[in-house]
Amino acid sequence: AVSHTFHGRDIFAPVAAHLAAGTPIGEVGPAVAVESLVPLAFPAARVHGGGLDTSVLFIDTFGNARIGGDPADLALLRGHLEPGDQFAVRIGADAVVMPWQVTFGEAAPGQLLLYEDADYAGLAIAANQGSAADLLGLETDTEIRIEPA
């Protein structure tokens, strides 16, 4: 059975297994015209003027906000990046100071943190045992500026 929401599980993983087992690619489905493919482009994060201008790319079911940029961008702002380094995260006219952390366990329950999301390999904002999206009013495409605190 193929669901409407879990194509990775229902379609892509079984097709990959068949290909890995030697099934010819022509047998796993119809050809797709190259000109019908559409590139997926995320908004680019930009380091300038002592900060990182970025935006929310998506929010997961836990309320963690994946944002553009990567840890190297934060390191560029400070000259290094160590757990506990503090950053001012500006959303509109408001700013919230939060630490860079490697694991959620380094933050107190409910505390906001910046971290590297392992699935996406980019920056994210979370609240340990809470929803950063709810706490900060974040939605997809919310603009954010991050500066050393």
Side-chain angles (χ1 to χ4, degrees):
V2 176
S3 72
H4 292 286
T5 55
F6 293 103
H7 288 100
R9 175 197 69 199
D10 299 339
I11 298 172
F12 303 135
V15 168
H18 282 288
L19 292 172
T23 300
I25 195 164
E27 292 181 24
V28 297
V32 176
V34 172
E35 59 273 4
S36 73
L37 299 176
V38 178
L40 177 61
F42 287 117
R46 188 168 81 111
V47 175
H48 74 99
L52 173 66
D53 288 329
T54 187
S55 61
V56 175
L57 303 176
F58 61 97
I59 297 171
D60 70 16
T61 57
F62 301 105
N64 301 323
R66 280 21 178 243
I67 60 177
D70 58 48
D73 295 327
L74 298 182
L76 189 64
L77 295 175
R78 298 184 65 90
H80 62 77
L81 185 60
E82 299 290 332
D85 285 349
Q86 299 290 310
F87 290 89
V89 177
R90 299 187 184 286
I91 303 158
D94 299 323
V96 178
V97 175
M98 62 186 74
W100 165 260
Q101 297 293 9
V102 177
T103 68
F104 281 63
E106 295 173 42
Q111 181 184 20
L112 291 162
L113 63 137
L114 285 162
Y115 71 102
E116 181 178 20
D117 183 86
D119 295 329
Y120 146 69
L123 296 176
I125 299 171
N128 187 11
Q129 300 179 28
S131 169
D134 289 346
L135 288 170
L136 298 172
L138 299 174
E139 298 177 353
T140 301
D141 296 328
T142 299
E143 293 182 359
I144 295 172
R145 180 164 175 87
I146 302 173
E147 300 170 335

